[in-house]
Amino acid sequence: MTERTGPSRASITRRLIAALTGTVVVFWLIAVGIGVYVVNKELSETFDGALQETAERLMPLVLDDLANRDPSSDPQSLKELNKGLNREYLTYQVLDGNGKVILHSHDAPATVYDVPLKVGFHNTPRYRIYTESSQDGSVFLHVADAFKNRREASRESGVALLWPLLALIPASIIAIGFVVGRSLRPIDRLRSQIATKDSGNMAPLDSDVLPRELQPIARSVNLLLDRLRLALEAEREFTANSAHELRTPIAGALAQTQRLLAELPQGQLTERASRIETSLSNLARLAEKLLQLSRAQAGIGAGDKPADLIAVIESVIGDYDRDTGTAGRVLLETGAKEKLIRNVDIDAFAIIMRNLIENALIHGPVDDEVTISVDGGTVRVVNAGDVLSQEELAGLKKRFWRGKTKATGSGLGLSIVERIVDQIGGRIELLSPATGRADGFEARITLPAG
């Protein structure tokens, strides 16, 4: 059931895992984006509050320092004193009423910030600045916060939100795979039950244990199985009854034809009667094959108790030995102590061997031997003959397909054999040339372990 000749299809489980994991990742990224936006907004408010509070607290200190400071001192002296200190996140400039720098922090530029001398927030390409003024308006204080500090804080918060995504993706794949696997398990069970259905197993599906969503499918399959079972039963009954009803009149007509041949003098009438005999013999064989086919379709392969299949093979060979036309042509090669014990119906196995031997006798050279060998659980039927191509071998199991041959036959023997071998859990292989030979044909049956 797992082999496919068409293009491969992705499983539902993989599609669901990929889709759900992708959805989780997308929503997480959207959440990260929203979070970064909110964090940026909150950080901006926090930084602005800290900037304003710093300016308001620094202004009294600046005024007090200016009151006790030598007016002739150089504003750069403060910068020289602060050399070697750590990097400042906030810088400031103190200006007089004319906009001249009186004091500045060591990281602040010597030139005046390009903002107006007006209390409030102002922006430059590099800084966010809050300006504070003394009560008399003679001193102004610029406290600046570099935008790069804010961007760094925003970037770090975004990265902190993205880090859990690295663990979220594999965790989501594992968790979603587990949940999806458990959820799809009823579908797998339903698929497995449907896969077992064939002409030998038409039992209805148990829909009561399935989830509510799958119960309509199970009911539809059961309805289809019922219709199919009725159709197959009608076909088998018709085939069996037709073949059975035909056997008696065909046998009677064949007997009368053979009696007529014995009584007629040689001539054209004898030739016509011979052709009638041949046609009736072929019809009798076809009726027998149809009976075997109906039995094979009814599932007769499995047996209730173990049986020695070598004894069955010997019994079938004995039937051919009693026929003057095939006596001595079928040979069994096996060890004296060889046993082949399997739970196989002996009538079904006899049908298998009769069809294989008949196929070998009809299609092999006239008067040539047919060899049967048993090795463990493998039974080989080998006959001489021309080598067949792979295309011809593939078609031999089809019903009413006889290949390139003029020999008599119905084209049903190997189809019947394959059906019964499948029922007992075995495998049939057709090989040409035969194993260890340059020509010939080999039918190899591998039986399941006993």
Side-chain angles (χ1 to χ4, degrees):
M1 297 297 294
T2 58
E3 293 183 357
R4 297 186 293 266
T5 56
S8 61
R9 305 285 184 180
S11 67
I12 296 177
T13 303
R14 291 184 179 180
R15 289 181 180 180
L16 286 175
I17 291 175
L20 293 177
T21 302
T23 302
V24 170
V25 171
V26 169
F27 276 107
W28 183 271
L29 292 176
I30 292 174
V32 169
I34 295 173
V36 170
Y37 172 78
V38 172
V39 168
N40 284 341
K41 188 174 181 181
E42 294 298 325
L43 284 176
S44 295
E45 294 178 358
T46 302
F47 279 119
D48 286 349
L51 198 62
Q52 181 178 354
E53 184 178 356
T54 300
E56 291 173 350
R57 290 179 178 273
L58 190 58
M59 176 56 77
L61 298 177
V62 169
L63 294 176
D64 183 66
D65 181 72
L66 290 176
N68 298 321
R69 186 171 175 271
D70 184 1
S72 63
S73 63
D74 185 3
Q76 299 294 330
S77 61
L78 185 60
K79 180 178 179 181
E80 294 296 328
L81 290 174
N82 289 330
K83 277 186 177 181
L85 297 179
N86 293 331
R87 171 175 170 266
E88 296 176 339
Y89 283 93
L90 298 178
T91 58
Y92 67 88
Q93 290 179 343
V94 180
L95 296 85
D96 58 16
N98 297 323
K100 180 182 178 182
V101 176
I102 303 174
L103 293 172
H104 64 81
S105 61
H106 76 277
D107 280 346
T111 58
V112 181
Y113 291 122
D114 187 17
V115 293
L117 296 178
K118 182 180 179 181
V119 176
F121 289 99
H122 310 284
N123 290 335
T124 69
R126 295 179 58 190
Y127 297 98
R128 174 77 165 167
I129 299 173
Y130 182 80
T131 302
E132 182 65 32
S133 172
S134 62
Q135 291 184 352
D136 57 4
S138 61
V139 177
F140 291 90
L141 173 64
H142 292 321
V143 179
D145 180 19
F147 283 122
K148 66 178 182 179
N149 297 331
R150 300 189 178 202
R151 287 193 294 268
E152 181 180 356
S154 175
R155 184 169 58 251
E156 290 177 354
S157 63
V159 171
L161 291 174
L162 285 174
W163 271 113
L165 187 62
L166 298 178
L168 178 67
I169 293 176
S172 298
I173 292 175
I174 295 173
I176 293 173
F178 176 75
V179 173
V180 170
R182 287 180 60 89
S183 301
L184 294 182
R185 199 169 296 168
I187 298 179
D188 287 336
R189 287 198 296 267
L190 178 61
R191 176 185 59 80
S192 300
Q193 291 182 37
I194 295 175
T196 62
K197 303 304 175 185
D198 55 20
S199 59
N201 180 12
M202 291 290 177
L205 301 174
D206 187 4
S207 60
D208 295 335
V209 299
L210 294 174
R212 182 176 56 191
E213 294 81 1
L214 296 179
Q215 288 181 356
I217 299 176
R219 285 194 292 267
S220 299
V221 172
N222 286 337
L223 290 175
L224 179 61
L225 288 174
D226 287 338
R227 296 176 61 182
L228 184 59
R229 181 171 57 252
L230 292 175
L232 287 175
E233 288 176 354
E235 178 189 354
R236 292 168 184 167
E237 185 176 356
F238 174 78
T239 302
N241 290 339
S242 299
H244 181 75
E245 293 299 327
L246 284 173
R247 292 175 72 182
T248 301
I250 291 174
L254 184 59
Q256 293 296 326
T257 303
Q258 291 172 344
R259 182 175 179 180
L260 180 62
L261 277 172
E263 295 176 354
L264 284 174
Q266 293 295 326
Q268 289 185 344
L269 292 179
T270 305
E271 294 178 0
R272 291 181 182 178
S274 296
R275 287 195 290 268
I276 294 174
E277 180 190 23
T278 301
S279 299
L280 289 173
S281 298
N282 292 336
L283 186 57
R285 282 195 293 269
L286 178 59
E288 183 65 28
K289 294 299 181 186
L290 290 175
L291 275 175
Q292 292 180 0
L293 180 61
S294 65
R295 295 187 65 192
Q297 289 178 330
I300 64 171
D304 297 330
K305 56 184 179 180
D308 185 4
L309 301 184
I310 291 183
V312 177
I313 297 174
E314 292 173 343
S315 177
V316 172
I317 293 176
D319 292 339
Y320 283 98
D321 285 340
R322 286 187 288 271
D323 188 333
T324 56
T326 58
R329 292 186 58 191
V330 184
L331 304 179
L332 176 61
E333 296 180 353
T334 182
K337 297 182 180 180
E338 185 75 34
K339 295 289 184 181
L340 186 58
I341 309 297
R342 295 291 188 276
N343 284 346
V344 177
D345 184 84
I346 58 175
D347 289 336
F349 192 73
I351 291 175
I352 292 174
M353 297 309 302
R354 288 184 186 280
N355 279 283
L356 293 180
I357 294 173
E358 180 181 333
N359 184 76
L361 290 172
I362 291 176
H363 298 286
V366 179
D367 297 331
D368 199 1
E369 295 177 345
V370 174
T371 303
I372 303 174
S373 61
V374 179
D375 183 11
T378 302
V379 180
R380 299 169 59 240
V381 180
V382 179
N383 61 274
D386 296 334
V387 176
L388 301 179
S389 65
Q390 292 300 318
E391 291 76 11
E392 291 175 309
L393 289 175
L396 289 179
K397 297 178 185 178
K398 298 178 181 178
R399 292 184 184 181
F400 302 104
W401 197 94
R402 301 181 58 248
K404 299 176 182 179
T405 179
K406 296 182 180 180
T408 59
S410 62
L412 288 173
L414 290 177
S415 175
I416 295 171
V417 170
E418 182 181 34
R419 175 60 65 92
I420 299 177
V421 169
D422 286 342
Q423 292 171 6
I424 62 181
R427 184 178 73 255
I428 179 172
E429 299 174 86
L430 304 181
L431 306 174
S432 184
T435 303
R437 299 180 57 162
D439 64 346
F441 176 85
E442 175 182 342
R444 178 187 300 170
I445 297 176
T446 303
L447 300 174

